[in-house]
Amino acid sequence: MGEKHIVRFEPVGIEIEVDEDQNILRAAAENGVQLMHGCKEGQCAACKSFVLEGDMDDIELDKYSTFALPDSEREEGQTLLCRAHAYSDLVIELLQYDEEIIRSGLPLKKGVAEVVSNESVTHDMRHLVLKLIEPEEIKFFPGQYLDIMVPGTEESRSFSMANVPGREGVFEFVIKIYPDGLFSEFLDKKVQIGDRLDVEGPFGTFTLRESRTSPIIFVGGGAGMAPVLGLLRSMAERGTDRKPVFYYGGRQLRDLCFEKELRELEEKIPGFRYVPALSEPAGDDEWDGEVGLITDVVARLEPDLKGRDAYVCGPPPMVDAALEKLTALGVLEANIFYDKFTTTGEPEGEDSP
């Protein structure tokens, strides 16, 4: 372990101790401080913050994408908390934060889980179900994610839970299979029922803000199905009066999944609507639903979204397009919550909000 330093987060006034060997985001999570974050890989910019006090030369950054932190922003004093190591005391201004979330962090736990099932739900997505062996419980909020170690490597990948927490210690995931991906290759060709995997969590802030009562619009694509399904299942279980609508985009009919359950949720959640759309339906799809990019479908069917909360989850291009459309349609930027499912290396794609 390295030397420890004090990092203070403003404007919330929270201080934590950070070891030089840890990145600041990780240290905060271990202290039960739930900072805004997504990929934890320096790619999505969700944890971008500003250094108010401290020498920038005393902050060392692990490898990151300059799309997330351009050189000009770094020179101005911005940093990525998931990549930043503190070598002196610092005061950090959080550019994105939610006081309801920041103080509600659950403790990080490592565990071992057993593979219960691994079923195809589309031509390129799997429904993986794990059951926790030890410890007895890893608590999480619907919409959060776990890190799963790739067997035989030092690498981990992040995947959102599609289920609600329960005493059974079960975790469900919807995972996209990428050609030659590190975890994809394992999941597609090697994993066996009964295999045990090392896991750690929970991570992520793609959770319902319980203090809010606004109607909700969900926008998703690909494996973005997982956290939204978890949130909808939670809303059905607990009861809600927030009249959610879920727009989900695929290229062809073969890209849609959990259709039956989502239609059943329309009967269980007051006012809930599920609206799938295909951008390039195949000739034999016999599709009579919405056609077009999911963001264009939203704009066509929801011309006024003032007063709504929005939750967006999927690949970065879809998320970026959705953020632009939603704000243009009246959703306040502060009321848009999103996960970008960035890729870890090439061509592996992972669920990192």
Side-chain angles (χ1 to χ4, degrees):
M1 299 293 283
E3 188 177 341
K4 294 181 183 295
H5 304 282
I6 299 298
V7 174
R8 181 179 177 85
F9 301 109
E10 296 293 359
V12 294
I14 296 174
E15 288 187 353
I16 63 169
E17 220 177 33
V18 179
D19 190 283
E20 291 176 350
D21 292 340
Q22 295 176 301
N23 64 63
I24 296 173
L25 180 69
R26 171 79 193 196
E30 292 187 357
N31 280 272
V33 178
Q34 186 74 285
L35 302 179
M36 298 300 286
H37 66 280
C39 68
K40 307 199 310 297
E41 296 287 341
Q43 297 190 59
C44 74
C47 66
K48 188 186 293 182
S49 301
F50 188 81
V51 182
L52 283 178
E53 296 180 20
D55 192 331
M56 291 298 292
D57 291 335
D58 288 335
I59 299 175
E60 183 176 305
L61 293 177
D62 295 329
K63 183 180 178 182
Y64 65 94
S65 168
T66 52
F67 288 103
L69 182 68
D71 292 341
S72 59
E73 292 184 353
R74 184 174 181 180
E75 290 168 2
E76 292 169 357
Q78 297 191 51
T79 194
L80 299 174
L81 299 183
C82 70
R83 303 278 89 187
H85 295 256
Y87 288 86
S88 67
D89 293 348
L90 302 171
V91 178
I92 301 288
E93 179 185 11
L94 301 174
L95 301 181
Q96 302 182 64
Y97 70 96
D98 186 317
E99 289 213 43
E100 180 181 342
I101 297 298
I102 203 169
R103 301 179 189 275
S104 65
L106 294 170
L108 287 181
K109 286 188 178 181
K110 293 184 178 181
V112 178
E114 186 174 271
V115 176
V116 174
S117 63
N118 175 30
E119 304 291 337
S120 294
V121 289
T122 72
H123 66 104
D124 65 353
M125 290 202 299
R126 297 291 181 86
H127 180 210
L128 175 68
V129 180
L130 305 180
K131 182 175 176 58
L132 197 62
I133 302 301
E134 58 181 51
E136 290 186 0
E137 183 179 42
I138 294 180
K139 293 182 178 180
F140 67 93
F141 295 121
Q144 289 192 297
Y145 65 95
L146 283 187
D147 281 356
I148 304 177
M149 293 298 298
V150 184
T153 77
E154 297 297 318
E155 300 285 331
S156 66
R157 295 293 183 263
S158 305
F159 301 105
S160 294
M161 274 79 77
N163 61 304
V164 298
R167 295 179 180 177
E168 301 81 10
V170 169
F171 304 107
E172 295 184 42
F173 308 91
V174 182
I175 300 174
K176 187 175 177 65
I177 301 296
Y178 289 85
D180 301 320
L182 185 62
F183 192 89
S184 294
E185 186 80 9
F186 167 73
L187 189 62
D188 187 35
K189 299 178 180 178
K190 300 177 183 178
V191 70
Q192 300 290 324
I193 304 304
D195 282 353
R196 296 193 171 188
L197 302 174
D198 293 324
V199 300
E200 183 180 23
F203 297 100
T205 56
F206 193 74
T207 56
L208 286 180
R209 274 54 177 176
E210 299 294 345
S211 63
R212 299 189 56 77
T213 58
S214 308
I216 298 174
I217 178 170
F218 294 103
V219 183
M225 171 64 72
V228 175
L229 188 58
L231 293 175
L232 289 171
R233 287 171 167 176
S234 175
M235 295 175 81
E237 184 179 275
R238 296 182 297 115
T240 180
D241 193 31
R242 298 189 66 178
K243 297 180 177 59
V245 57
F246 179 22
Y247 285 87
Y248 182 78
R251 183 170 295 173
Q252 299 177 344
L253 188 61
R254 66 177 188 162
D255 295 308
L256 301 183
C257 56
F258 295 94
E259 294 279 290
K260 182 174 183 291
E261 179 177 356
L262 288 163
R263 293 305 179 191
E264 290 172 349
L265 286 172
E266 288 183 314
E267 304 299 319
K268 296 177 181 178
I269 303 174
F272 172 53
R273 293 181 293 122
Y274 167 58
V275 184
L278 303 183
S279 61
E280 301 174 16
D284 58 354
D285 276 347
E286 299 182 359
W287 178 250
D288 60 359
E290 298 297 330
V291 175
L293 295 175
I294 195 63
T295 48
D296 292 337
V297 172
V298 169
R300 186 169 69 248
L301 299 182
E302 307 280 353
D304 184 3
L305 289 174
K306 292 184 182 67
R308 303 272 195 103
D309 284 0
Y311 287 76
V312 185
C313 196
M318 188 219 77
V319 172
D320 291 338
L323 297 181
E324 183 177 344
K325 291 278 188 182
L326 290 167
T327 52
L329 295 169
V331 184
L332 295 178
E333 188 175 338
N335 297 335
I336 301 177
F337 313 102
Y338 63 91
D339 272 353
K340 287 185 181 181
F341 282 19
T342 57
T343 57
T344 303
E346 292 292 340
E348 177 68 275
E350 304 302 352
D351 180 0
S352 3

